[in-house]
Amino acid sequence: MAHVTALHLKYKYPGSDTLALHDISFSVERGECIGIIGENGSGKSSLCQALAGLIPGFYKGAYGGKVLLDGQEAAHMDADTLCRKVGLVFQNPFNQVTGAKLTAYEEVAFGLENIGVPREEMHARVREAMELLHIYEYREHYPFDLSGGQMQRMAIAGVFAMRPEIIVLDEPVSQLDPQGRKEVFEAIRTLSGHGITIFLAEHNMEQIAAFCDRVALLHEGRLICMDTPARLFSRDDLETYGVEAPVFTKLARVLQVRGQDGLFPVTLEETKRLFMEKRQTGAGVLEWLE
Amino acid sequence: MARIEIEDLYFSYRPEEEILKGVRLTLDQRPTAIIGQNGAGKTTFVKLLKGLLRPTGGRILLDGQDIAGLSAAKLASRIGMVFQNPNDQIFKNTVMAEVSFGPRQIGMPEDKMRICCQKALEAARLTGLEEKNPYDMGLSARKMVAIASILAMDTDTVIFDEPTIAQDHVGKERIRQIIRGLAGEGKSVIAILHDMDFVADVFERVIVFMEGRILMDGSVREVFADRDMLERAYLEQPNVTRLCHELGYRGVYLKVEELLHET
């Protein structure tokens, strides 16, 4: 059975006359990492919230279709079950941090306290999550004294510590520096390796391409396609949807360097490999740079 | 244009923890990007430039005059700053009220104010949204409101703290045009950025901050050519530069167009 399924999912915010999500259907296997891309306003955040049950649990409005988590309907789950099943990392950590705790450590422990995890296990999990995100050294800091990047990693640690089966991240690294981004992506990759299903909304296409098994492209609330990064970024109509291919793909397209499957490379490593091959076979690409 | 000289700048929030440890530089007309790890002192530095914080040592001279001696209004009419998080900046309940607040505060004459606001709204593509409440808009649109309200003040120096955060392809393109437009008008643009591809594309000078000091200050090409230095600062080259290095090319290429131009 698919781990996460959306069936004709529709949603409209209260007071809005357009659908934020328009008849979205897909299914995702356990442990898959799914990228969510699209221009601002395309429905990425709404989809994240629907997957995490905040739509329709918290945000009212018109809701149709369903989201199934392990075959169970998210909209019918109680908050306790739902929050053990799926964790959501917000775009802006200021919206996630409770503000009720005086140290980063307590902040990370907040969710676990609420679901009544035994004390010893709670400490172990908080420490593990904080170490994974490289913020254990800031455990005694006041949450709002942390830098943007540290605060975001603290928010992610709070979600990781809950050990949900599914983690939804809504542009989680937009506030981070390159090193912080790398750390967060490495941490997500670790979790992904443990069979956690990941949904990741992100504008950085190089990251999406390097990281995701499949990518969902949204436009005006509709799912345009959900496919492997190579197939999606080899489409020639991306501009129509307000997204760009990774810089490597753009370069390969101009030079018409394709893999055996006829698709353009999407990551640095693949692009390098294909360019090197072309050079060896004397196909005449890029000698001008020697 | 403004001439800003920074002399031996020190700053700490707490005496035992120095954030800036002797920063010395002169800003010129080249669009300048400030890069570095979170916590390297970048935001603190620009807050000092804007007079929001007072140095614990050293001084900042604006056209030869120490900014410590300038009134807030005087400084505000010379240096504008767009905050990283628009929620820290926006407090009015319509776009127009927000955008016209700054010009009004610095005593801009009414007719000039109208022109400046209109121009700023156009640049940020907010025309027609004047009566909207910024807090009913998404984060990226709200950031555009924050940008427009600084542009409207028509300052000769504009500072951006991470302008591309949460922006999609179209939004980034708009910010690129805004920065190029400001540079074209002879204004100084200083921006803190984490997006190296954007830096490579839009900026001419790059200053690398590390642990409260300047690790390197040079042209965008010089800085991005220096892999060892970038690694020390936990930074990366732009994607195209990385690819070319991996492929063993000797030249430093900053963007796709540059690479293709060679053909």
Side-chain angles (χ1 to χ4, degrees):
Chain A
M1 182 178 49
H3 197 199
V4 180
T5 307
L7 278 176
H8 304 295
L9 181 63
K10 283 184 193 143
Y11 178 68
K12 200 169 74 170
Y13 285 96
S16 164
D17 42 6
T18 51
L19 286 169
L21 297 173
H22 200 298
D23 198 15
I24 290 184
S25 298
F26 59 78
S27 66
V28 168
E29 297 303 317
R30 189 177 291 271
E32 265 195 286
C33 178
I34 305 295
I36 303 174
I37 63 170
E39 59 188 359
N40 285 325
S42 61
K44 297 188 302 298
S45 289
S46 303
L47 180 58
C48 286
Q49 281 160 352
L51 291 170
L54 283 180
I55 287 174
F58 181 75
Y59 293 103
K60 301 306 168 194
Y63 181 85
K66 49 186 133 179
V67 171
L68 302 172
L69 308 176
D70 265 334
Q72 273 182 291
E73 220 182 313
H76 297 160
M77 285 183 186
D78 58 61
D80 187 66
T81 317
L82 194 61
C83 74
R84 287 167 199 263
K85 197 94 183 159
V86 45
L88 174 66
V89 176
F90 289 64
Q91 184 177 27
N92 185 346
F94 277 93
N95 297 338
Q96 184 136 16
V97 173
T98 63
K101 297 293 178 183
L102 292 177
T103 68
Y105 189 93
E106 291 170 20
E107 181 62 43
V108 173
F110 184 80
L112 299 181
E113 281 181 327
N114 272 282
I115 58 167
V117 171
R119 202 168 170 75
E120 245 166 57
E121 189 190 339
M122 184 176 81
H123 284 306
R125 283 211 225 165
V126 169
R127 182 170 179 153
E128 184 197 10
M130 293 187 93
E131 282 176 347
L132 191 68
L133 274 300
H134 304 280
I135 49 159
Y136 191 64
E137 61 180 300
Y138 307 116
R139 62 190 176 280
E140 296 303 328
H141 282 54
Y142 180 56
F144 293 101
D145 278 350
L146 298 177
S147 75
Q150 292 159 349
M151 203 186 288
Q152 183 63 292
R153 281 183 283 154
M154 176 184 69
I156 296 173
V159 171
F160 283 171
M162 297 282 284
R163 301 213 179 134
E165 294 172 27
I166 303 153
I167 296 185
V168 182
L169 302 108
D170 189 1
E171 295 184 44
V173 298
S174 64
Q175 320 261 343
L176 304 193
D177 59 24
Q179 179 68 14
R181 279 184 224 164
K182 211 188 272 179
E183 284 172 8
V184 168
F185 276 107
E186 275 163 16
I188 300 171
R189 202 184 288 277
T190 306
L191 288 149
S192 180
H194 285 80
I196 294 178
T197 304
I198 309 270
F199 289 90
L200 173 70
E202 172 64 42
H203 282 306
N204 185 318
M205 299 304 157
E206 288 80 17
Q207 297 277 27
I208 285 278
F211 198 75
C212 298
D213 301 311
R214 287 192 295 156
V215 185
L217 169 62
L218 296 179
H219 185 66
E220 293 174 354
R222 293 173 197 268
L223 180 64
I224 302 302
C225 81
M226 190 158 171
D227 214 332
T228 61
R231 274 203 290 267
L232 190 142
F233 289 126
S234 291
R235 286 174 72 118
D236 50 20
D237 59 352
L238 292 176
E239 283 276 318
T240 324
Y241 305 113
V243 298
E244 268 189 310
V247 68
F248 310 116
T249 315
K250 287 197 279 184
L251 184 61
R253 180 186 289 278
V254 177
L255 299 170
Q256 285 296 307
V257 175
R258 295 172 194 261
Q260 282 184 335
D261 51 8
L263 301 173
F264 296 116
V266 295
T267 62
L268 184 135
E269 291 71 25
E270 264 183 279
T271 311
K272 179 183 171 186
R273 187 176 57 77
L274 288 179
F275 279 26
M276 291 288 201
E277 275 175 25
K278 287 276 180 197
R279 189 151 55 173
Q280 271 161 13
T281 56
V285 102
L286 295 182
E287 286 98 348
W288 35 271
L289 289 169
E290 310 280 325
Chain B
M1 65 158 280
R3 177 179 169 82
I4 302 178
E5 294 156 280
I6 292 107
E7 295 180 345
D8 271 326
L9 198 64
Y10 285 82
F11 182 80
S12 56
Y13 291 97
R14 283 185 290 246
E16 69 279 11
E17 201 181 344
E18 213 145 56
I19 306 290
L20 291 182
K21 303 163 186 167
V23 170
R24 230 165 285 124
L25 69 116
T26 300
L27 293 166
D28 53 32
Q29 212 168 337
R30 287 177 292 171
T32 299
I34 298 177
I35 62 176
Q37 263 199 298
N38 287 132
K42 306 182 300 297
T43 296
T44 301
F45 174 69
V46 297
K47 281 184 174 168
L48 285 158
L49 282 186
K50 171 75 187 136
L52 297 174
L53 299 171
R54 294 284 180 204
T56 44
R59 3 177 246 170
I60 298 167
L61 304 176
L62 175 62
D63 293 334
Q65 211 182 348
D66 192 337
I67 64 165
L70 294 176
S71 68
K74 176 77 190 153
L75 197 57
S77 67
R78 302 293 309 276
I79 300 177
M81 174 168 156
V82 182
F83 282 56
Q84 178 175 353
N85 185 347
N87 301 357
D88 294 340
Q89 187 180 326
I90 293 171
F91 66 106
K92 292 289 188 181
N93 55 12
T94 69
V95 169
M96 195 59 201
E98 185 66 42
V99 173
S100 58
F101 178 81
R104 217 175 287 258
Q105 289 301 303
I106 57 172
M108 194 184 276
E110 191 72 22
D111 43 346
K112 186 183 174 196
M113 186 185 84
R114 217 168 302 123
I115 295 167
C116 286
C117 288
Q118 199 190 344
K119 201 175 137 205
L121 289 166
E122 266 166 33
R125 306 282 159 81
L126 293 168
T127 312
L129 303 173
E130 290 86 347
E131 295 312 314
K132 270 203 115 157
N133 186 327
Y135 285 96
D136 288 340
M137 303 164 90
L139 182 62
S140 53
R142 213 178 306 143
K143 184 95 182 185
M144 286 298 175
V145 176
I147 291 174
S149 55
I150 299 305
L151 295 181
M153 293 170 77
D154 194 29
T155 55
D156 43 24
T157 298
V158 184
I159 302 169
F160 296 90
D161 193 352
E162 304 207 21
T164 58
I165 279 186
Q167 296 295 337
D168 59 9
H169 174 49
V170 175
K172 263 200 209 166
E173 197 53 51
R174 200 165 297 163
I175 290 169
R176 192 189 318 257
Q177 284 167 12
I178 289 172
I179 293 175
R180 287 197 175 139
L182 289 169
E185 288 173 29
K187 296 180 184 242
S188 307
V189 178
I190 301 155
I192 296 176
L193 284 153
H194 285 320
D195 181 339
M196 300 303 144
D197 287 0
F198 191 82
V199 172
D201 192 16
V202 182
F203 291 83
E204 290 174 28
R205 178 181 181 184
V206 179
I207 298 171
V208 184
F209 269 67
M210 189 179 157
E211 292 169 0
R213 292 192 176 88
I214 292 177
L215 185 62
M216 189 170 179
D217 176 0
S219 73
V220 63
R221 198 170 301 279
E222 285 163 358
V223 169
F224 285 137
D226 196 339
R227 284 172 63 89
D228 294 341
M229 181 278 304
L230 291 170
E231 200 173 309
R232 250 185 302 147
Y234 299 98
L235 296 170
E236 276 185 345
Q237 290 179 313
N239 281 309
V240 169
T241 320
R242 278 169 62 206
L243 177 67
C244 291
H245 174 82
E246 291 282 323
L247 290 169
Y249 300 149
R250 268 189 303 275
V252 175
Y253 299 91
L254 298 174
K255 45 192 171 183
V256 171
E257 296 74 22
E258 216 171 69
L259 189 53
L260 295 174
H261 191 68
E262 293 272 329
T263 43

